[in-house]
Amino acid sequence: MNNAMPGRPMRLAGREVKGAAQLREIVDACQTVRIAAVDNEGVFIVPMSFGYDWADPADLEGSDEPRFALWVHSAVEGRKVDVFDAEPRVAIEMDVQEGVITGNYACAYSYAYRSIVGTGTVHRIQSPEMKRYGLERIMAHLAPDALPGFTDQALARTKIYCIDIEKFTGKQRA
């Protein structure tokens, strides 16, 4: 898949998740994305609930990789908002915990997981229609049986961001 993170190849290439369907399964199983950003105070990471849009390569003309975007929401002020508005480049991490792998001695223990790491660009959403869409994507992922309904007042009190994921990789340890 061409969406592999730039730079060095994955050290344990046998753990790389390459198929679009398997990558999407990981994203769908995750409930939290951790977003890393940088401001004048330094690097910080914030865990956030999210929704997402996914397009499989078969649905994208001329592409052999999926298109992936995350939707997140925030209060209208705070460090995260300041950073997202000033420096749109971020890194993401999400994982599914699968349990402890036991061994015969301490260093033989490990942890089973599936994960996604990547980089992307944050875009603040302005229009009420797109803000509603972003909140609907979040609700569809986190509470698919809930009936979403967002008042104009709630939209005014909420910032919505879409993170276009430019590069990402999946990894698993069984």
Side-chain angles (χ1 to χ4, degrees):
M1 202 167 258
N2 292 336
N3 60 352
M5 294 289 290
R8 67 177 80 177
M10 191 173 291
R11 184 177 63 84
L12 298 172
R15 293 187 184 168
E16 186 172 2
V17 176
K18 296 182 180 182
Q22 293 87 353
L23 290 165
R24 184 174 182 169
E25 286 175 11
I26 295 170
V27 172
D28 197 47
C30 292
Q31 297 300 305
T32 303
V33 61
R34 292 161 194 84
I35 303 171
V38 178
D39 65 7
N40 60 358
E41 295 179 46
V43 178
F44 78 103
I45 297 172
V46 59
M48 299 185 76
S49 55
F50 69 94
Y52 69 93
D53 285 319
W54 185 278
D56 285 321
D59 300 331
L60 300 171
E61 189 174 315
S63 178
D64 61 353
E65 61 189 60
R67 162 106 169 60
F68 175 35
L70 293 171
W71 292 89
V72 297
H73 74 290
S74 174
V76 297
E77 57 186 37
R79 183 178 183 191
K80 173 179 52 205
V81 169
D82 293 344
V83 172
F84 285 1
D85 289 344
E87 175 49 66
R89 294 174 299 160
V90 296
I92 61 133
E93 186 279 339
M94 52 182 65
D95 57 78
V96 181
Q97 300 176 9
E98 304 284 3
V100 173
I101 298 170
T102 60
N104 294 330
Y105 55 96
C107 291
Y109 278 71
S110 188
Y111 201 81
Y113 63 90
R114 294 178 292 152
S115 67
I116 299 282
V117 296
T119 58
T121 303
V122 175
H123 305 279
R124 188 173 61 162
I125 304 303
Q126 302 283 1
S127 79
E129 296 80 20
M130 289 306 295
K131 288 176 86 170
R132 257 190 195 85
Y133 176 82
L135 288 170
E136 288 168 359
R137 297 308 304 149
I138 294 167
M139 292 298 295
H141 177 62
L142 294 178
D145 296 330
L147 296 174
F150 309 103
T151 65
D152 291 341
Q153 294 82 5
L155 291 177
R157 292 189 314 266
T158 307
K159 289 220 178 179
I160 306 297
Y161 295 92
C162 181
I163 305 172
D164 287 318
I165 305 300
E166 294 149 5
K167 301 285 184 186
F168 68 100
T169 56
K171 188 174 181 181
Q172 65 183 0
R173 170 84 162 108

